[in-house]
């Protein structure tokens, strides 16, 4: 009996260990082994590839479970690129792998901008503005320099002025300047812009000199032939649109001529006054718009008409 039981037990043990089986038993054992592997393998394999191309880093990470085929990673290197591939795997208690990607900084491009040359601009002036004009006596020539504040150099020179007496006066009195001989507040043609009268000679009775008209289109002064022909200082009367010059003989006797501008911007004589005989007699001659004499009369100092040629009358200049 014991001899029969022992072989049976041995056969059972062998069957349990997988040593003895039939065809179906072999297939069952293979399945068991395969199931054991699939159930116990949990580790993961991670591959990391990084490449640096033209200063930039690119990377790819492929992760597959054990028992599966891991696809390959191909790195292409060009002539102008520097490629660096690395595979890193780190394991821990969790059995996983972690990859890192290294960042390679790129160099900043520096752009240089060429400096633009600066150009000096001539100050813009308003030719109608006469307030910034100044005058200076030229020390080396017989001229007056005309300048504008804020502008270098002179804008014009006045050449036809007799500066003999002016220079002598300034030399004897250092407090005097050329501006003491320039009358610039009078508007002699009533266009709204003050003109110039430069005093060349003066005494206790009369002043003579040169006239300049201000040109608001050019911002300069132009020699004035119409007034320069009169010679003496002109007294403007805007209310009558007239100009009067006085030629004083002494404190009592004088001649005065009054002119008006016609439509052609020419001066026309309209009145002549001659006070003579120590101021006792006053002769007045009037002229029409064409300069033709229209009337003549003589009065005494009280305004009474004087008839006849009782006294020798001075001739009109």
């Amino acid at each position: 009996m014991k001899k029969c039981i022992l072989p049976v037990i041995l056969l059972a043990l062998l069957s349990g260990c997988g040593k003895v089986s039939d065809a179906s038993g072999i297939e069952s054992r293979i399945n068991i082994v395969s199931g054991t592997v699939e159930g116990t393998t949990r580790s993961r394999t991670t591959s990391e590839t990084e490449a640096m191309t033209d200063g930039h880093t690119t990377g790819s990470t492929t992760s597959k479970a054990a028992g599966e085929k891991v696809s390959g990673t191909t790195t292409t290197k060009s002539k102008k690129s520097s490629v660096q591939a690395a595979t890193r795997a780190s394991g821990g208690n969790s059995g996983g792998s972690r990859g890192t990607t290294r960042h390679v900084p790129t160099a900043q491009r520096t752009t240089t901008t060429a400096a633009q040359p600066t150009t000096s601009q001539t100050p813009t002036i308003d030719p109608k503005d006469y307030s910034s004009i100044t005058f200076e006596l030229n020390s080396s020539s017989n001229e007056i320099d005309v300048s504008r504040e804020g502008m270098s150099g002179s804008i014009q020179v006045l050449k036809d002025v007799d500066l003999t007496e002016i220079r002598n006066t300034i030399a004897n009195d250092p407090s005097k300047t050329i501006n003491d001989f320039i009358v610039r507040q009078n508007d002699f043609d009533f266009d709204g812009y003050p003109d110039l009268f430069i005093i060349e000679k003066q005494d206790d009775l009369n002043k003579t000199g040169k006239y300049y008209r201000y040109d608001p289109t050019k911002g300069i002064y132009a020699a004035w032939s119409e007034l320069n022909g009169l010679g003496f200082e002109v007294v403007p009367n805007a209310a009558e649109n007239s100009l009067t010059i006085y030629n004083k003989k002494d404190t009592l006797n004088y001649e005065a001529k009054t002119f008006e501008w016609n439509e052609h911007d020419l001066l026309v004589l309209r009145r002549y006054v001659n006070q003579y005989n120590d101021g006792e007699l006053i002769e007045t001659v009037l002229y029409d718009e064409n300069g033709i004499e229209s009337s003549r009369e003589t009065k005494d100092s009280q305004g009474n008409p004087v008839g006849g040629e009782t006294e020798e009358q001075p001739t009109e200049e």
Side-chain angles (χ1 to χ4, degrees), residues 214-232:
Y214 186 75
D215 186 348
T217 62
K218 299 180 180 180
I220 60 176
Y221 293 94
W224 211 340
S225 59
E226 289 86 354
L227 295 187
N228 286 332
L230 303 179
F232 293 95

Side-chain angles (χ1 to χ4, degrees), residues 273-312:
V273 176
N274 180 28
Q275 181 170 306
Y276 60 99
N277 197 25
D278 292 338
E280 291 296 326
L281 297 175
I282 302 173
E283 178 187 23
T284 303
V285 182
L286 301 180
Y287 302 84
D288 62 16
E289 61 274 8
N290 296 317
I292 299 175
E293 182 178 330
S294 60
S295 67
R296 180 188 293 262
E297 66 178 0
T298 302
K299 296 181 179 180
D300 59 21
S301 58
Q302 283 73 37
N304 301 317
V306 175
E309 297 288 333
T310 56
E311 297 184 9
E312 182 180 355

Side-chain angles (χ1 to χ4, degrees), residues 46-103:
T46 301
S47 66
E48 175 188 56
T49 302
E50 70 174 358
M52 182 174 67
T53 304
D54 293 336
H56 297 279
T57 302
T58 59
S60 62
T61 303
T62 304
S63 176
K64 290 294 183 178
E68 296 180 2
K69 182 180 180 180
V70 179
S71 60
T73 301
T74 302
T75 303
T76 303
K77 178 166 66 175
S78 62
K79 294 181 179 180
K80 295 182 179 180
S81 305
S82 175
V83 180
Q84 179 182 2
T87 302
R88 298 186 182 91
S90 59
N93 295 333
S94 62
S97 299
R98 297 180 181 178
T100 60
T101 301
R102 183 178 60 191
H103 175 68

Side-chain angles (χ1 to χ4, degrees), residues 3-21:
K3 293 180 179 180
C4 294
I5 294 173
L6 183 61
V8 172
I9 295 172
L10 181 61
L11 179 63
L13 291 173
L14 294 174
S15 298
C17 295
K19 296 295 183 176
V20 179
S21 66

